[in-house]
Amino acid sequence: MAVRIDGKVTSEEIKEEIASRVKEIKAEGGKIPHLAAILVGNDGASQTYVNAKVKACEKVGFQSTLVMLKDSISEDDLLDEIQKVNDNADIDGLIVQLPLPKHISVEKVTAKILPEKDVDGFTPANVGRMALNWPTYISATPYGILELLKRYQLETSGKHCVVIGRSHIVGSPMSILMARNDNPGNCTVTITHSRTKNLAEVARSADILIVALGRPEFVTADMVKPGAVVIDVGIHRIEDASKKSGYRLIGDVKFEEVEPIASAITPVPGGVGPMTIAALLYNTLLAAEKKIYS
Ligand code: NAP
């Protein structure tokens, strides 16, 4: 039976490490890390995510600022708001919660964030630094996966890693990170997508299978090599009358089928998902301590 890679426990450990570093900074009379979040509009899910991030900041002892803007705000006015945060020396990290209203260009907004404060790691400068293996802010989901592989001491060097999905936020950065000359890394990587032929066969050749395509229970046991490490990034809410909430969460991997043959696997929920806030806090600490751009 596979080792269950527990993202909940690991993310709590990381948060505790960050909180104890904040205590040290306070004791040394240093500057407390400060994260600003910009939320445009009143989308319920986005509000929930931003509130969770702000709450997590408070829990580890960071300062936080939430800037709430109407969804009717013009693109220019939003860019001005970002500039204000860029210019505010007290703020170390800035995130702009996505999605944005349709009349606003995500590219323009992302490019406006000062790379030094881009703790989501989305700016072209930081994505480029990641590809070059320079110090950078690695975006939340890829950071979470690397940290799980590292903390569970799962060997990656020389392994064949297959990534399913090539999105800018998960599949594409994951493929770059796993191929870098680093630990975790040093894999031979195959990146796959909706045009890939013989996907099941390619997946079956993976020692490490990272699944991020957004299709519920797409990866079945016959697509997995016995002994492979399986990282499931997908999250889907499906109706379940037996649950109090009326739903349950499942991933892109058919867990019950794959767990018995894998050597290690992330569950959904409780795998990759909980790591994302820990990643954001970690990047904010790096920003405050000027560890990336000195
Ligand atoms: P996305 O932007 O929709 O990208 C999906 C990728 O999968 C695309 O590259 C697409 O190929 C590929 N794909 C779709 N159907 C395929 C198929 N049948 N065979 C092979 N490849 C296929 O998705 P995403 O943002 O990366 O998210 C993926 C999943 O992860 C979603 O369930 C999302 O909710 C979840 N997610 C979870 C977290 C977390 O914190 N746990 C974070 C982010 C995302 P093409 O490029 O050819 O279209």
Side-chain angles (χ1 to χ4, degrees), residues 141 164-167 169-171 192-195 199 212-215 218 233-236 252 272-273 276:
T141 307
I164 307 184
R166 59 176 165 187
S167 71
I169 60 162
V170 191
T192 67
H193 44 76
S194 65
R195 312 282 174 93
L199 181 61
L213 79 161
R215 310 235 159 173
F218 180 90
V233 184
I235 313 178
H236 312 274
D252 283 355
V272 175
T276 51

Side-chain angles (χ1 to χ4, degrees), residues 101-151:
K102 286 202 172 58
H103 65 279
I104 295 174
S105 154
V106 181
E107 285 81 4
K108 276 193 193 165
V109 165
T110 305
K112 185 75 180 173
I113 299 170
L114 201 62
E116 286 85 338
K117 299 193 181 191
D118 167 35
V119 288
D120 262 339
F122 288 160
T123 59
N126 284 324
V127 175
R129 290 173 74 103
M130 176 202 60
L132 292 166
N133 204 0
W134 290 10
T136 190
Y137 305 112
I138 295 173
S139 61
T141 307
Y143 166 87
I145 295 170
L146 290 185
E147 210 52 33
L148 288 173
L149 291 170
K150 200 192 284 177
R151 289 178 186 242

Side-chain angles (χ1 to χ4, degrees), residues 202-278:
V202 177
R204 225 173 12 248
S205 69
D207 303 307
I208 301 170
L209 183 61
I210 301 178
V211 190
L213 79 161
R215 310 235 159 173
E217 299 186 328
F218 180 90
V219 170
T220 45
D222 60 314
M223 296 171 73
V224 177
K225 186 204 279 191
V229 171
V230 180
I231 305 292
D232 187 356
V233 184
I235 313 178
H236 312 274
R237 205 186 247 216
I238 58 156
E239 278 182 28
D240 185 341
S242 72
K243 300 278 174 197
K244 219 168 128 193
S245 57
Y247 70 87
R248 70 190 163 93
L249 297 175
I250 59 167
D252 283 355
V253 174
K254 202 156 191 173
F255 188 83
E256 323 75 71
E257 251 186 56
V258 174
E259 188 187 29
I261 61 164
S263 61
I265 186 166
T266 57
V268 177
V272 175
M275 296 292 288
T276 51
I277 287 187

Side-chain angles (χ1 to χ4, degrees), residues 2 16 23 28 33-34 50-51 61 67 79 95-96 105-106 118 128 130 149 162 178 180 187 209 232 249 283:
E16 276 166 29
K23 278 191 194 133
E28 292 159 2
H34 185 172
V50 168
N51 287 337
V67 182
L79 295 175
I95 57 167
V96 178
S105 154
V106 181
D118 167 35
M130 176 202 60
L149 291 170
V162 173
M178 295 303 282
R180 295 194 316 184
C187 286
L209 183 61
D232 187 356
L249 297 175
N283 282 342

Side-chain angles (χ1 to χ4, degrees), residues 272-286:
V272 175
M275 296 292 288
T276 51
I277 287 187
L280 177 65
L281 298 174
Y282 179 70
N283 282 342
T284 306
L285 181 62
L286 289 178

